[in-house]
Amino acid sequence: MTPMFCPLPPYLKRSAHLPQEIKDIGWKAQTRLCKRYRALSRTGKPQPRVLGAIARELAGFIWDIARRTPLTA
């Protein structure tokens, strides 16, 4: 019996060409923001306040990735 081909999930396809440093930042953002979202939601904070806090932290991760990405003309 031959093994069946299992295609990569779309997010793995999109990130396959990225440097490992950028992938590591993305994973760090994923884990930190998920943990923070759950913690803030668990304490009973209003949803708009929780989303605002997560958005501010996400902007920091985006800035970090942009800072490490060389500009191409």
Side-chain angles (χ1 to χ4, degrees):
M1 177 184 265
T2 60
M4 295 190 65
F5 173 71
C6 183
L8 287 174
Y11 63 89
L12 288 179
K13 276 187 188 178
R14 287 192 306 266
S15 66
H17 69 284
L18 296 174
Q20 188 61 40
E21 181 183 25
I22 302 299
K23 290 181 195 178
D24 291 343
I25 294 170
W27 184 247
K28 182 179 173 184
Q30 172 72 26
T31 56
R32 178 178 170 87
L33 296 177
C34 182
K35 180 180 167 185
R36 180 124 165 97
Y37 176 83
R38 288 180 181 170
L40 289 172
S41 294
R42 194 178 310 118
T43 62
K45 299 271 188 227
Q47 189 72 8
R49 183 171 291 172
V50 171
L51 295 178
I54 298 301
R56 281 191 302 274
E57 285 201 42
L58 179 59
F61 282 108
I62 292 170
W63 172 82
D64 190 26
I65 289 173
R67 189 176 57 87
R68 296 169 192 255
T69 304
L71 294 175
T72 56

